[in-house]
Amino acid sequence: MESNSQSPQFVRDIMTTDVATVDIGATIFDADQIMAQKHISCVIITESKEPLGIITERDMIRVMLTREDPATINVTDYMSTPLLSIRSEDDLFHAVNLMKDKNLRRFPVIDNGILVGLVTQSDLLKGLIKLIKHLNHQLVKGEINLKTYEQQISNMKHLSIPKNPPAE
């Protein structure tokens, strides 16, 4: 890792900012088309740009099992609501623990009622790996002492990282 690289500490440092959305009047077919075209696992349901719910690939499977026509089913029939979210200024450790506590794989990032991003389990894992690499780099370069390094790593050991992938 380069010496001038920054360590991710907050959700804003690792979140995806290009979040796919569909209006509350959309059909399951509409949502599925967006997910397929963008190769993504969810879309956020909005009304006048206000985030209300989420549709995931697991929801799509539930729809397929009904054998109903997805073009006739409104997204509100299958969206998860209320929408559980996180803020961009929340730290990575809070995000990991919240994800585990709520047994979810992703959270919309909402600041002051505005959808600003999406954070997933993969984003968090990548962020924590970058944080560890950054701490290793700081230790080797003498930018932090061993005690500080050990305290930071110890903080990570207290994370409640799930052993099995959570269900949604």
Side-chain angles (χ1 to χ4, degrees):
M1 187 165 248
E2 297 173 334
S3 60
N4 64 355
S5 64
Q6 292 297 311
S7 164
Q9 297 178 13
F10 302 100
V11 169
R12 70 175 165 262
D13 299 329
I14 62 165
M15 69 184 189
T16 300
T17 56
D18 184 23
V19 182
T21 63
V22 295
D23 189 70
I24 197 165
T27 66
I28 291 292
F29 180 80
D30 300 329
D32 187 54
Q33 289 294 109
I34 291 171
M35 290 167 63
Q37 290 169 357
K38 294 189 174 199
H39 305 285
I40 55 176
S41 63
C42 70
V43 293
I44 304 298
I45 313 307
T46 61
E47 183 174 36
S48 301
K49 298 191 179 185
E50 179 186 345
L52 300 177
I54 187 170
I55 293 276
T56 69
E57 32 189 29
R58 288 182 184 218
D59 297 319
M60 294 299 180
I61 291 170
R62 287 187 3 216
V63 172
M64 299 303 165
L65 292 174
T66 69
R67 299 185 191 267
E68 293 180 55
D69 180 2
T72 65
I73 304 170
N74 189 281
V75 291
T76 58
D77 294 339
Y78 282 87
M79 73 179 186
S80 297
T81 188
L83 189 59
L84 302 175
S85 64
I86 197 162
R87 298 170 307 166
S88 64
E89 71 260 13
D90 288 334
D91 68 47
L92 297 184
F93 303 116
H94 172 71
V96 168
N97 286 323
L98 186 63
M99 205 168 274
K100 187 216 178 260
D101 292 345
K102 299 298 182 184
N103 205 24
L104 297 172
R105 294 180 180 191
R106 61 190 62 79
F107 277 109
V109 182
I110 299 175
D111 290 339
N112 301 315
I114 299 170
L115 179 66
V116 295
L118 183 78
V119 66
T120 67
Q121 281 181 326
S122 298
D123 296 330
L124 287 169
L125 182 58
K126 289 174 191 172
L128 291 172
I129 289 169
K130 282 183 181 178
L131 178 57
I132 291 169
K133 286 181 178 180
H134 184 75
L135 289 171
N136 288 342
H137 174 80
Q138 286 182 309
L139 181 64
V140 168
K141 292 290 187 180
E143 296 170 3
I144 61 172
N145 61 33
L146 185 57
K147 184 175 181 175
T148 301
Y149 176 84
E150 288 173 343
Q151 287 172 338
Q152 293 292 323
I153 296 297
S154 177
N155 289 340
M156 287 184 214
K157 288 181 183 177
H158 298 294
L159 290 176
S160 301
I161 299 174
K163 292 185 171 110
N164 297 316
E168 289 197 67

